[in-house]
Amino acid sequence: MSISYRGKYFRIYIWQGLSIILGFLSLFIVMPSLSGNKTLFGIYSVCTSLTIFFSYADLGFISSGLKYAAEYYIRGDRKNEIRTIGFTAFIMLSMFMLIALLFGIISIFPQILMPELEPDSENYTARYLLILLSVSCPVIIGQRILNMIYSIRVEDYKLQRISAVGSILKILSVFFFFGSENYLLVPYFAFVQFINLSVVLMAAFQVRKYQYSFVEFLKAIRFDRIIFDKEKGLTGASFISILSWVLFYEFDQIAISNFVGLEAVAVYGIAFSALTFVRTFVSLLYSPYSSRYNHLIGENDRVGLMKFVNRMLLMLSPMVVLPIVGLSMLSEPFIISWVGFNYEESSSI
């Protein structure tokens, strides 16, 4: 079994390595193009920062659902695995509909978020970015559910392969939407959402190999009292953690747009993009092992779990600490070479 999982870890890291490379390319190709217009980039930063509400709107049920679904999977209990994932999809669908409605309302009055918006082009950009965010709700649900299905099998690499193709297309599209003096921000964002939808559809097609019945899964998307009672204790702790994370990290750009201005959002947004990349890197580093923790709990192997956790901490800590320290020490030349002297202030942030 360990040899089998090592092979899966290796494949995950291969494709995650490609994701990191594509992330670097995105930083050095996409971000300089987007930041060419400071005000519009500020609007883009504010609007896209709202996607964080989609990330945390599952109220903690994603993390608890992932834990129990992985335990059911390792025991071969496919029925309860699907019930758990379907219940999680129901919670997300309920919350996401409310958030999508909120974004739709704000799109009518974008000055609620960005008081200094000028009419015409700036107002148009903010409005349509918010509308696109609103209609992308089903795509994000699909991404999260598919990630659960692949992750509990420690086969994330199958989803990462498809996502890598999507990332390449997004990077290449920059030369069309922002080349030859173009600055087509809204069409670019619409294209990104289309690519995300295509990735979800292709990944969903491959899920059939796990003997997932589309009809069976749709029937499972409902409120399930038994699953709720089992998950609610763990979910409460997850929700408090999520709420704290949102309050600490995710309201900065909205506050800056209201109290300082859109150009200040742009300066902050560049620094925040670097932070987001670091967070993504750390997440990718540890993600192959999360389902194995749950497998070991499902098998009631507490000793094996502690050994596994200790081994991961010792092996991966240098890979987390050294890049962060290096980036901090070289922040100013990094920012200047990346997006130019107009964003030099971002280095101190």
Side-chain angles (χ1 to χ4, degrees), residues 29-30 33-34 169-179 188:
I29 295 175
V30 177
S33 299
L34 291 177
L169 292 174
K170 291 175 192 177
I171 292 171
L172 293 176
S173 72
V174 168
F175 299 104
F176 173 79
F177 291 106
F178 300 100
Y188 166 75

Side-chain angles (χ1 to χ4, degrees), residues 91-228:
I91 295 294
M92 282 197 294
L93 183 61
S94 303
M95 295 304 301
F96 280 28
M97 286 175 64
L98 293 175
I99 295 172
L101 178 62
L102 176 63
F103 286 176
I105 294 171
I106 294 175
S107 71
I108 302 172
F109 309 104
Q111 287 83 3
I112 295 173
L113 289 178
M114 296 161 277
E116 68 171 293
L117 275 179
E118 296 291 337
D120 301 326
S121 64
E122 292 181 10
N123 197 65
Y124 162 87
T125 299
R127 177 167 296 168
Y128 282 95
L129 287 177
L130 288 165
I131 290 172
L132 287 168
L133 276 178
S134 179
V135 300
S136 68
C137 164
V139 178
I140 298 172
I141 293 175
Q143 288 173 330
R144 305 289 294 281
I145 293 301
L146 287 166
N147 186 65
M148 284 185 71
I149 294 171
Y150 284 102
S151 178
I152 62 176
R153 290 163 171 79
V154 195
E155 293 185 353
D156 313 51
Y157 60 89
K158 294 182 178 179
L159 181 58
Q160 290 162 358
R161 285 188 303 213
I162 304 171
S163 299
V165 175
S167 297
I168 291 170
L169 292 174
K170 291 175 192 177
I171 292 171
L172 293 176
S173 72
V174 168
F175 299 104
F176 173 79
F177 291 106
F178 300 100
S180 302
E181 300 182 359
N182 289 334
Y183 194 84
L184 305 174
L185 186 57
V186 172
Y188 166 75
F189 194 65
F191 179 77
V192 167
Q193 300 309 315
F194 172 75
I195 292 296
N196 289 339
L197 173 61
S198 301
V199 167
V200 166
L201 293 176
M202 292 175 65
F205 183 77
Q206 288 197 4
V207 162
R208 296 183 310 161
K209 296 177 181 178
Y210 299 138
Q211 298 181 330
Y212 263 73
S213 164
F214 183 69
V215 174
E216 183 183 9
F217 182 72
L218 283 180
K219 289 180 180 178
I221 301 177
R222 59 184 178 84
F223 182 79
D224 190 315
R225 186 74 195 185
I226 296 174
I227 300 294
F228 175 78

